[in-house]
């Protein structure tokens, strides 16, 4: 199949989940178990994903060679939605030298001595690299919004703690992303949208299987109580920060194979749009190569 044709197909699958305008966005319009009518068995899905990751690896190689653009891929989700597995599978073909993964957990006291974007800004990808944020600055308008005692620990001067703080933070994030895109960083944001029912099933599996016990955390179950608050916070975040330049993808996450395909496809699609090529060399460099060739061939 021609590349163009494959891309057209990819676009058809990715389009319904891409949010470029936040106004009127409603999470309820999205079904976590959606598979766009696709029904693939494990083998077929793995085969398709492998082709996607190979394509991604080719794009990444050119991105790295050019050292102009960079890619920031943000993953946000409720627990057990599959962030870790998606990152592992989608990035499996990519050269580790060109890719950095950062997982953001509770902030340190040094982090709390700075503005809220500080610790994330330090981890942004260099030119030519893909940076993956496993959780990100969005936690500052998600977990911190759901549990306001966390906000209290952020040491903000009291007059700045107004009701408008969430709108202000969201606006700061939107501007930050505008700034990044104007610097040549492509920003893609994935919300892995799992249902509450599927999350319960996955927690149960973690409890049932000894090799999954390490993944289980009682606090994850505790957070389920705040499901509605989280969904509200996610909806508000997507509304305020979805843009053409830094789109959100609301990816159905009840079927892991589908989540991975959509994420891989969205990244490939975004990189294809950059029309990447290997850098060409100038006359001087060309002469240098010629001289090296002559010198090498003269060697005994
Ligand atoms: P996994 O459970 O797969 O290891 P995880 O990302 O859930 O991955 P945890 O160590 O379980 O990692 O959880 C990290 C916790 O840190 C999450 O509950 C998250 O909400 C919280 N967190 C992240 N950023 C912040 C922040 N800025 N302020 C407070 N809590 C945060
Ligand atoms: Mg966790």
């Amino acid at each position: 199949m021609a590349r163009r044709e494959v891309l057209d197909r990819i676009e058809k699958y990715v389009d319904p989940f891409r949010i470029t305008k936040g106004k009127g966005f409603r999470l309820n319009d999205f079904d976590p178990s959606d598979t766009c009518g696709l029904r693939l068995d494990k083998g077929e899905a793995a085969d398709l994903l492998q082709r996607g990751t190979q394509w991604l690896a080719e794009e990444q190689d050119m991105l790295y060679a050019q050292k102009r653009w960079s890619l920031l891929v943000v993953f946000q989700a409720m627990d057990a939605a599959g962030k870790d597995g998606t990152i592992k599978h989608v990035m499996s073909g990519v050269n580790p030298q060109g890719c950095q993964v950062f997982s953001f957990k509770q902030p340190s006291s040094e982090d709390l001595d700075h503005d809220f974007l500080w610790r994330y800004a330090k981890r942004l990808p260099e030119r030519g690299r893909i940076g993956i944020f496993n959780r990100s600055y969005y936690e500052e308008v998600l977990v911190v919004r759901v549990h306001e005692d966390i906000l209290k620990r952020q040491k903000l001067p009291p007059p700045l703690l107004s009701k408008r703080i969430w709108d202000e933070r969201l606006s700061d994030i939107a501007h930050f992303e505008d700034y990044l895109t104007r610097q040549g960083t492509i920003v893609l944001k994935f919300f892995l949208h799992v249902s509450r029912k599927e999350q319960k099933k996955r927690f149960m599996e973690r409890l049932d299987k000894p090799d999954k016990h390490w993944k289980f955390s009682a606090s994850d179950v505790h957070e389920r109580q705040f499901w509605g608050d989280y969904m509200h916070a996610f909806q508000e975040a997507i509304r305020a920060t979805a843009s053409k330049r830094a789109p959100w993808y609301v990816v159905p996450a009840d079927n892991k194979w589908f989540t991975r395909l959509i994420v891989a496809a969205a990244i490939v699609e975004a990189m294809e749009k950059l029309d990447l090529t290997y850098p060409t060399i100038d006359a001087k460099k060309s002469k240098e190569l010629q001289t090296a060739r002559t010198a090498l061939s003269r060697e005994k």
Side-chain angles (χ1 to χ4, degrees):
M1 204 186 293
R3 225 171 155 87
R4 185 65 254 166
E5 208 177 313
V6 180
L7 268 176
D8 285 346
R9 280 209 189 176
I10 287 181
E11 223 153 81
K12 202 179 88 203
Y13 283 111
V14 174
D15 257 4
F17 308 113
R18 187 195 300 104
I19 318 294
T20 53
K21 252 194 247 140
K23 198 163 172 259
F25 167 80
R26 285 184 350 169
L27 209 43
N28 266 341
D29 295 339
F30 290 78
D31 173 7
S33 65
D34 193 1
T35 58
C36 285
L38 255 189
R39 258 186 244 131
L40 301 179
D41 66 35
K42 249 191 164 162
E44 287 169 316
D47 187 48
L48 208 56
L49 182 62
Q50 206 245 328
R51 276 198 270 166
T53 54
Q54 201 180 327
W55 193 340
L56 184 60
E58 288 164 21
E59 291 293 323
Q60 187 240 359
D61 207 44
M62 291 186 276
L63 187 87
Y64 190 74
Q66 279 197 352
K67 288 200 171 35
R68 290 288 181 274
W69 299 98
S70 56
L71 190 68
L72 174 65
V73 185
V74 167
F75 286 96
Q76 286 294 157
M78 296 299 280
D79 283 297
K83 283 185 282 110
D84 292 4
T86 303
I87 294 168
K88 178 169 141 189
H89 285 90
V90 172
M91 303 314 288
S92 60
V94 163
N95 178 356
Q97 287 218 66
C99 180
Q100 303 145 321
V101 184
F102 295 104
S103 299
F104 293 98
K105 318 237 175 204
Q106 280 93 350
S108 69
S109 62
E110 190 189 13
D111 294 333
L112 293 175
D113 278 340
H114 293 83
D115 60 279
F116 84 87
L117 285 173
W118 182 76
R119 69 168 174 153
Y120 310 97
K122 279 199 304 185
R123 301 288 181 226
L124 289 170
E126 302 153 65
R127 297 194 188 281
R129 306 281 174 116
I130 300 179
I132 308 232
F133 280 7
N134 182 355
R135 301 187 188 271
S136 67
Y137 42 85
Y138 279 99
E139 290 294 327
E140 307 290 338
V141 289
L142 295 167
V143 70
V144 185
R145 185 171 189 165
V146 171
H147 299 289
E148 290 209 13
D149 52 312
I150 302 182
L151 180 66
K152 287 198 190 107
R153 277 182 249 134
Q154 293 196 338
K155 303 186 185 174
L156 283 161
L160 302 182
L161 284 168
S162 79
K163 275 215 152 45
R164 291 194 314 273
I165 191 155
W166 307 117
D167 287 340
E168 288 168 358
R169 277 193 180 194
L170 287 167
S171 153
D172 292 338
I173 288 175
H175 284 124
F176 178 60
E177 289 178 345
D178 273 349
Y179 163 73
L180 292 180
T181 57
R182 284 195 267 258
Q183 286 297 306
T185 301
I186 307 299
V187 183
L188 305 176
K189 303 169 293 192
F190 294 95
F191 170 49
L192 306 191
H193 186 208
V194 75
S195 66
R196 196 162 184 263
K197 194 165 150 219
E198 178 65 21
Q199 190 200 48
K200 180 176 169 183
K201 196 175 133 218
R202 292 183 189 174
F203 282 162
M204 286 295 200
E205 269 168 27
R206 288 181 183 180
L207 290 170
D208 288 343
K209 294 187 186 154
D211 63 340
K212 296 251 170 118
H213 282 172
W214 67 275
K215 270 248 157 210
F216 186 80
S217 146
S219 66
D220 294 351
V221 174
H222 178 73
E223 287 308 287
R224 273 171 70 76
Q225 291 175 38
F226 304 99
W227 193 274
D229 295 338
Y230 273 109
M231 291 308 116
H232 173 254
F234 270 115
Q235 184 168 281
E236 292 290 301
I238 294 171
R239 279 187 184 172
T241 61
S243 70
K244 259 207 169 117
R245 284 201 277 203
W248 270 102
Y249 296 85
V250 177
V251 188
D254 279 6
N255 297 287
K256 288 181 181 173
W257 63 270
F258 190 69
T259 313
R260 293 167 189 172
L261 281 181
I262 293 298
V263 172
I267 301 176
V268 165
E269 193 195 24
M271 290 183 87
E272 268 289 332
K273 283 205 182 116
L274 297 178
D275 250 335
L276 297 168
T277 51
Y278 285 102
T280 48
I281 51 172
D282 56 20
K284 188 173 159 237
K285 184 86 184 169
S286 171
K287 199 153 177 223
E288 226 177 273
L289 299 188
Q290 193 58 44
T291 314
R293 180 186 293 279
T294 314
L296 281 171
S297 48
R298 276 199 200 127
E299 262 184 24
K300 293 213 178 96

